[in-house]
Amino acid sequence: MRPVRLDLDGFTVFRDPTTVDFTDTDFFALVGPTGSGKSTVLDAICFALYGTVPRWGDRRAIANALAPSAAEARVRLIFESAGKRYVVTRVVRRDGKGAVTTKAAGMELLAPGLDLAKLEFGLEQSDIAEVLAGTPSEVDTAVLTVVGLPYEQFTKCVVLPQGEFAAFLHAKPAERQKILVNLLGLEVYGKIREKAQTEAGTAETKLKVLDDQLHGFSDIDDAALAAAVSRVEALRAVAAAVDAIVPRLGDADRLAGQAASALATLDAEIDRLSAVSVPPEAANLAATAATARAAVAGAQDAVRAAEEREEKLRGELAAAGDATALRRLLDHHASRARLVSEATSVRATLASAEAQHGKAADALEAARADASAARLALEAAFEAYNAAMATDQAVALRPGLREGEACPVCEQTVHALPDMPHEPAVIKAKKAGEVARKRSTAADKAVEERDRSARDLDRALATARAHAQQLERQLAELERALDGAPPAEALQRDLDGIGALTRRLEQAGAEVRKAREGHRNAAGAADRAEERLRSAWRAFDTTRDGLAQFAPPPANRDDLADAWSTLHGWATGEAGRRRAGRPAAQDEVSAAQRKVADVRDELAARFTEAGLAAPGGDPARDAAVALERADAARRRIEERRADAAKMREQRDDLAREAHVAKALAQHLRADRFERWLLAEALDTLVEGASRTLRELSSGQYDLGHEKGEFYVVDHHDAGLRRAVRTLSGGETFQASLALALALSEQLAGLSAASASLESIVLDEGFGTLDTATLDTVAVTLENLAARGDRMVGVVTHVGALAERIPVRFEVHRDARSARIERAGL
């Protein structure tokens, strides 16, 4: 992991947006006064990647990420890993209740060649090649995959914060082993071991299944196969014997069927002849039909007499005249009387309307004259009002007039002063004008009312005149229609006579309908009687035709009862003769059935001898099915013997695979192969750290390890071996730095995993070094950075060290926020 750019906004002391650009930087220093925020830059890198900071001590202390009084903090880190660039962002917010949580987090793989100088704080979606994570938990997983180190190991190998610089040096063997396993990618061997153990377990499970299956093949030995072959041969002999017996059974069944059929035919003939009987109604049907035909003739005569009476009355009614025309003339007489009365009333109404119309016209003229006079009076009052206004204006000048002085209006000399009126003339004129206006308004209203009344009378008079004219026209039309017509009394007498004839004709029509209904009923009864007689003959013919094969005697077609009696006597004699021959037919059926039973007993004996169930309706098929089943059982034994042979071959292969997988799992156990690899890696690590430590300590110390614990060899004390925990603060710093540089410089080359130690940042203890040691540390760091494949960073306030570092990020802090400025190259 190699930082490229860090953006801060609202994070701890960096209240304002701040950017640290590490582009083209291989060796840098973070410098500034104590408390200015140097270590906060390393905190921000850790927080962006892992969501926590070593100095907080707990992920739940995330409120420390917010600057004082800030509601939101943003941290974004752009970094390189294995030649690819990534950006990881975390946003912390404080809600309305004061709770602080990481509300947003994301990680993206940047498009190759992206110009970071064009980026603002926050990436555009179009610049993102691939989104890797969108939630805090997803970011944690993605960072572990890309960086290759968990948080605890990252802070021991890459970013070494204050208080954690010597953590790898003082770590317990088990913890140090975990770090090296991740760095070297040795977990792959653990996965291979687990895979081998899984394969061994799977193979053993399959072996057990195969053993259980092979145990189930105990019934397919040579004896079982021989028994199956013998069974097939025995059933083949039974099938051949059955094939020879079956034709005899068919002949016996056929003879038995013929005998049974002959007996059944004889019984059917006896039943058919015995079923002939004379119907009870055969003797009465002919007489009933003759009576019904006589009733039809009487009903026809009654219909003819009723129709003659109806026709006579119809002629008399036609001679009496047209009742409709007579009734129309009688209605004209009534209408004329009504119109004469109505015309008299309308004439009186018209005379009254004409009189009222004349009075209304006179009143309208009088009202118009009054209105004209009122308007003249109103105009006079208006002129008087204008004159009064002029008078009052002149009176208003009276107090200013003096005898012998000039008038201010006409400029004439005033000889005598006019008298002052008791009240203004305008008031009196206004009162007179109000009276004239009211009178004019009332007169105009009266004209409107008279005019409206006159118009109403005009319409009423026009309506009355139109009504009178209409009545006169109707009376003239009625007079023309009644010209030469009989009087109303004569017309009424003629209509009464026509009504009496009409009633008699209706009664005659009812009698005709009744007679016709009686004729229809009689005809229906006759038809039904005839149909019953015909049905009886059809039933006789059907019965006789059903016995035609027995040659019945001829029938008397004139007498139904005699025909039935003759047929019944003949059928009774024929049935008696057939009953006499039935015992012999029964004996033939019994003999044939005994023959069938004997053949079936012979077949059953063959099946019993072969151990088969008694045969069914098709013995040959039953024998063939039994033979096929036995042969299928033989083939199944042969197939299972072949399957068992294959399973034994599979078992041998699985046994070999299980042995190989188990042996591989044993060889790759953590206490064997992995421990050997870790020992080799630790030897390489300690060898490189010792070279650096000898330089830093001026040849005093070498670093070694035994049983997972580090120790130093003190050459200034006769090669005394000392535990690393006995070193002083400065000596511990030297040993820790040597170990950290060895981790960064050498183990990355040994690692087969995705972890890539492309940078190292130190935040610890340079102030505890003397001048010579400090110079040695600086040279060591310069040589490491000069190689170009590692970024080396230090956090220091030691000026002598900072001046030797080509790029310095100077951290300043005021009352509001910290800020960072780049100095050097």
Side-chain angles (χ1 to χ4, degrees), residues 469-486:
Q469 292 174 0
Q470 182 182 9
L471 290 175
E472 291 295 338
R473 286 195 299 274
Q474 291 176 354
L475 281 172
E477 292 175 358
L478 287 174
E479 290 295 342
R480 286 193 298 274
L482 291 173
D483 186 22

Side-chain angles (χ1 to χ4, degrees), residues 1-5 48-49 77-81 84-88 107-108 110 116 142-143 146-147 758:
M1 193 286 297
R2 183 186 183 105
V4 176
R5 172 171 163 172
L49 292 172
L77 174 66
I78 301 173
F79 65 94
E80 290 182 354
S81 181
K84 296 181 180 180
R85 283 192 175 184
Y86 302 86
V87 58
V88 60
M107 182 171 174
E108 297 88 17
L110 293 181
L116 299 183
V143 167
V146 172
V147 176
E758 298 173 90

Side-chain angles (χ1 to χ4, degrees), residues 303-626:
V303 170
R304 190 179 299 108
E307 288 176 346
E308 290 176 354
R309 286 194 299 272
E310 183 186 29
E311 188 62 29
K312 180 181 178 182
L313 288 172
R314 197 180 302 281
E316 292 177 359
L317 182 61
D322 187 358
T324 301
L326 294 176
R327 193 174 293 107
R328 187 181 301 110
L329 290 175
L330 188 60
D331 289 341
H332 286 343
H333 279 292
S335 297
R336 182 177 63 182
R338 179 179 54 78
L339 289 176
V340 168
S341 176
E342 186 177 354
T344 302
S345 175
V346 168
R347 291 188 190 98
T349 300
L350 181 58
S352 175
E354 288 175 345
Q356 290 178 1
H357 183 270
K359 293 179 180 179
D362 295 340
L364 178 59
E365 289 299 327
R368 286 174 176 168
D370 290 342
S372 178
R375 282 194 292 272
L376 292 175
L378 180 60
E379 292 175 358
F382 182 72
E383 292 177 357
Y385 179 76
N386 289 334
M389 288 181 63
T391 301
D392 285 347
Q393 290 175 354
V395 170
L397 298 175
R398 171 64 177 79
L401 296 178
R402 299 291 185 269
E403 291 184 3
E405 295 180 0
C407 174
V409 178
C410 63
E411 298 182 352
Q412 300 293 324
T413 301
V414 179
H415 299 288
L417 295 175
D419 295 330
M420 289 292 292
H422 297 294
E423 63 179 4
V426 171
I427 295 176
K428 183 178 180 181
K430 185 175 182 180
K431 291 179 180 178
E434 290 295 335
V435 172
R437 182 177 293 105
K438 290 180 180 179
R439 178 183 174 190
S440 177
T441 302
D444 289 340
K445 186 175 181 181
V447 169
E448 292 178 1
E449 292 177 353
R450 298 284 187 247
D451 185 58
R452 185 165 52 253
S453 177
R455 286 196 299 272
D456 292 342
L457 289 173
D458 284 341
R459 286 192 294 271
L461 181 60
T463 300
R465 286 173 178 169
H467 192 192
Q469 292 174 0
Q470 182 182 9
L471 290 175
E472 291 295 338
R473 286 195 299 274
Q474 291 176 354
L475 281 172
E477 292 175 358
L478 287 174
E479 290 295 342
R480 286 193 298 274
L482 291 173
D483 186 22
E489 295 78 4
L491 291 172
Q492 187 62 51
R493 285 194 300 270
D494 292 341
L495 284 173
D496 291 342
I498 291 173
L501 285 173
T502 301
R503 287 190 294 274
R504 289 173 60 194
L505 179 61
E506 290 175 353
Q507 184 177 3
E511 292 175 356
V512 169
R513 290 191 294 276
K514 182 178 180 182
R516 289 174 178 170
E517 180 64 25
H519 179 266
R520 283 194 296 273
N521 292 337
D527 291 341
R528 288 191 293 274
E530 291 290 344
E531 180 58 30
R532 285 196 297 273
L533 182 60
R534 287 192 295 273
S535 296
W537 275 111
R538 285 194 296 272
F540 174 80
D541 292 338
T542 300
T543 301
R544 188 177 184 282
D545 292 343
L547 303 174
Q549 67 184 82
F550 306 127
N556 181 7
R557 303 302 297 182
D558 295 330
D559 190 343
L560 178 64
D562 180 66
W564 271 111
S565 178
T566 301
L567 182 63
H568 177 262
W570 169 83
T572 301
E574 290 294 322
R577 284 191 295 275
R578 284 169 173 75
R579 288 191 185 95
R582 190 177 185 284
Q586 181 65 44
D587 292 340
E588 292 180 2
V589 171
S590 298
Q593 290 176 344
R594 284 194 298 274
K595 181 63 175 177
V596 171
D598 291 342
V599 178
R600 289 191 178 278
D601 290 342
E602 184 178 356
L603 283 172
R606 291 286 188 178
F607 274 77
T608 301
E609 291 174 0
L612 299 176
D618 190 351
R621 179 181 179 280
D622 294 342
V625 169

